Amino acid sequence: MSTIIATFGTDRARRLRATLTLLLAVAIAVGAPFYFAPFQVFQLTMVLLYAVALAGLNLLVGFGGQISLGHGAFFAAGAYTSAVMLDRYDTGHLATLPVAAAGCFLLGLAFGVPALRLRGLYLALVTLAFAVFLPPLLKRLEPVTGGSMGLTVDKLQPPEWSGLAEDQWLYLVVLAVTAAALLLARNLLRSRAGRALLAVRDNESAAEVMGVRLSLHKTLAFAWSAMFAGVAGCLYTWVIGFVSPDSFSFVLSITLLAGLVVGGLGSLYGPLLGAAFVMYVPSVSQDLSEAAPGVVFGLLIITVMFVAPTGLAGLPGRVRAVAARRLPRAAATRDRTPDAGSASDVEPASPAGDAPDERPESPAASESSATDTPADPAVADAEPVGAPPRTEKE
């Protein structure tokens, strides 16, 4: 009974701690645009929209076990869908979000079907080819996409009743969309389809034996990943107000994948950490070395992966595991090692116990005691044993 009560108390304390942590994170996130400068608020907004894109990539790579180097192409598709609707058809900003999500979902579904027979490096090369092919295609479709010059659209403006600045309103809108996207990804992974996706990642043969349709869930993984990327691209158009083919080169796809690996594959918090890495590390690299920022960026990635092989999201658990292994060893070593000060103060015990120290007499002392003249005269006149008899003259 006491064990049940202790377990219930532990679960209750854990839930309370998680709730308080969530409330604190929400308070900090909502209050951030009112504390930082406009440029810093813009950077935080970009971190949030990159987190949406990485959440989709995490569904495909981290939880689906597949690899994609063309995620930037879906990001560009969502951005251009929103930009074309705003520029050509003069629709509202909020109306472009579901259209971009649905369009990229169908695009990912169509792309996932031919990719079913591919895996590993072959799938990576096909997705990379899609990312390389899309920017030149956007330049050729000049009547729709604006060609190499791109499209310039209006940013999402705050309503008059809010009393907020443009950067603050954009941040709060993107924050709300990001929270909804991360919650959707979390619930999706806990659903039946998410568990089937995890089974496919761990062992395809075992999953197929259990009745999981591999082709369906692999295709859906591409579709979900593309949908999240399309939403992030739509948010990008709202925040930047400009799109061009050069903004969505294949380097963007590689950077997103690197950010996810650094943040942590298969972690719900990895996309947020990876998005911060994607946003801030290039600027830090530029500040450290204006001549070769790419070299600094690569070295930082290598350093992070050496320190945290499972990503930044797994670093706290790795530190706790190392501390849990070393603390008992240190305690055991300290218990086995005697204290030097106390050992020097204790004298070794005598083999004979607590008997007094009896020192043997020296030979000289023994000899002198044997030749001493006794005080009694009679004894002095006595002849020694074995001596010759005395004469009268003596």
Side-chain angles (χ1 to χ4, degrees), residues 10-32:
T10 303
D11 293 340
R12 187 175 181 180
R14 186 183 298 109
R15 292 178 181 177
L16 180 61
R17 185 168 57 252
T19 303
L20 293 177
T21 303
L22 178 61
L23 292 177
L24 179 61
V26 170
I28 293 175
V30 173

Side-chain angles (χ1 to χ4, degrees), residues 280-298 300:
Y280 290 108
V281 170
S283 60
V284 172
S285 303
Q286 184 70 30
D287 295 338
L288 293 178
S289 175
E290 297 182 358
V295 175
V296 178
F297 182 73
L300 288 176

Side-chain angles (χ1 to χ4, degrees), residues 193-288:
R195 292 193 295 269
L197 186 64
L198 294 176
V200 172
R201 180 197 64 179
D202 295 337
N203 194 320
E204 292 186 3
S205 301
E208 190 172 10
V209 170
M210 295 172 62
V212 177
R213 297 176 59 183
L214 301 182
S215 59
L216 174 62
H217 290 90
K218 284 186 175 182
T219 307
L220 287 178
F222 265 99
W224 291 328
S225 176
M227 183 188 70
F228 278 84
V231 171
C234 181
L235 297 178
Y236 177 87
T237 303
W238 294 0
V239 174
I240 302 298
F242 174 75
V243 292
S244 67
D246 295 333
S247 301
F248 308 106
S249 63
F250 72 94
V251 178
L252 175 62
S253 300
I254 297 176
T255 303
L256 291 176
L257 182 60
L260 179 62
V261 174
V262 170
L265 287 171
S267 172
L268 293 176
Y269 306 102
L272 284 172
L273 300 175
F277 184 87
V278 170
M279 182 62 210
Y280 290 108
V281 170
S283 60
V284 172
S285 303
Q286 184 70 30
D287 295 338
L288 293 178

Side-chain angles (χ1 to χ4, degrees), residues 45-55 75 236 252 256 275 278-279:
T45 306
M46 295 298 295
V47 169
L48 293 176
L49 68 89
Y50 280 138
V52 176
L54 292 182
F75 189 95
Y236 177 87
L252 175 62
L256 291 176
V278 170
M279 182 62 210

Side-chain angles (χ1 to χ4, degrees), residues 83-102:
V84 169
M85 291 181 65
L86 291 174
D87 183 70
R88 306 298 183 187
Y89 302 102
D90 196 20
T91 58
H93 286 77
L94 297 180
T96 63
L97 184 62
V99 175

